[in-house]
């Protein structure tokens, strides 16, 4: 199922909601689209109802981190939150945020289990 995108300009927040099976190609497509259709200052990836069935390896996280840095990584004051309920998706998000830091992305990132905590962090 495609990743749904919604932007709330008043809150300066773009929400990306993934449900069902998440494919590497879908994430690459969404992040690539940021180059032409910039997200708001802050981004929330909601993976609470998503699952991974494809092999998400460290090579994927490195590649997507490089892509993300070129499309949204220069948001010095921006934040990106990832919300995941499953241990696997939570771990992959943590690995990805580590790769973003190694790539030199300038925005802040955090991984959460609870949506309320992520929204509080993003909106503070």
């Amino acid at each position: 199922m495609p990743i749904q995108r919604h932007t709330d300009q008043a809150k300066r927040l773009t929400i990306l909601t993934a449900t069902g099976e998440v494919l590497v190609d879908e994430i690459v497509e969404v992040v690539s689209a940021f180059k032409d259709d910039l997200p708001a200052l802050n981004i929330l990836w909601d993976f609470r109802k998503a699952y991974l069935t494809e092999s998400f390896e460290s090579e994927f996280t490195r590649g997507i981190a490089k892509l993300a840095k070129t499309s949204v990584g220069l948001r010095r004051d921006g934040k990106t939150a990832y919300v995941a309920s499953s241990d696997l998706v939570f771990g992959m998000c943590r690995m990805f945020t580590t790769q973003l830091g190694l790539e030199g992305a300038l925005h802040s990132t955090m991984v959460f289990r609870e949506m309320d905590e992520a929204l509080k962090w993003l909106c503070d």
Side-chain angles (χ1 to χ4, degrees):
M1 176 175 277
I3 297 170
Q4 301 297 312
R5 178 178 169 165
H6 170 75
T7 298
D8 183 337
Q9 292 296 347
K11 292 183 181 177
R12 300 182 344 165
L13 178 64
T14 295
I15 300 172
L16 301 155
T17 305
T19 55
E21 180 181 3
V22 177
L23 303 173
V24 170
D25 292 343
E26 284 180 288
I27 294 175
V28 169
E29 184 178 315
V30 169
V31 174
S32 295
F34 289 159
K35 290 180 181 178
D36 297 322
D37 186 10
L38 289 175
L41 180 65
N42 298 314
I43 300 171
L44 172 67
W45 286 86
D46 181 359
F47 288 111
R48 293 175 298 163
K49 295 181 181 176
Y51 60 91
L52 307 177
T53 59
E54 198 173 299
S55 177
F56 280 71
E57 300 172 355
S58 60
E59 275 307 307
F60 161 73
T61 59
R62 267 187 237 121
I64 198 74
K66 287 179 182 182
L67 178 62
K69 180 189 172 205
T70 62
S71 56
V72 295
L74 299 178
R75 299 171 300 131
R76 288 186 187 276
D77 297 328
K79 297 178 182 179
T80 300
Y82 305 86
V83 182
S85 51
S86 82
D87 290 341
L88 177 60
V89 177
F90 186 89
M92 289 303 300
C93 289
R94 292 285 306 262
M95 189 178 346
F96 177 68
T97 61
T98 299
Q99 289 296 333
L100 275 172
L102 293 173
E103 288 298 322
L106 301 175
H107 65 287
S108 300
T109 59
M110 289 281 287
V111 182
F112 299 88
R113 296 256 187 207
E114 300 294 328
M115 180 63 75
D116 291 344
E117 292 176 17
L119 288 169
K120 184 178 184 310
W121 180 75
L122 285 167
C123 296
D124 281 349

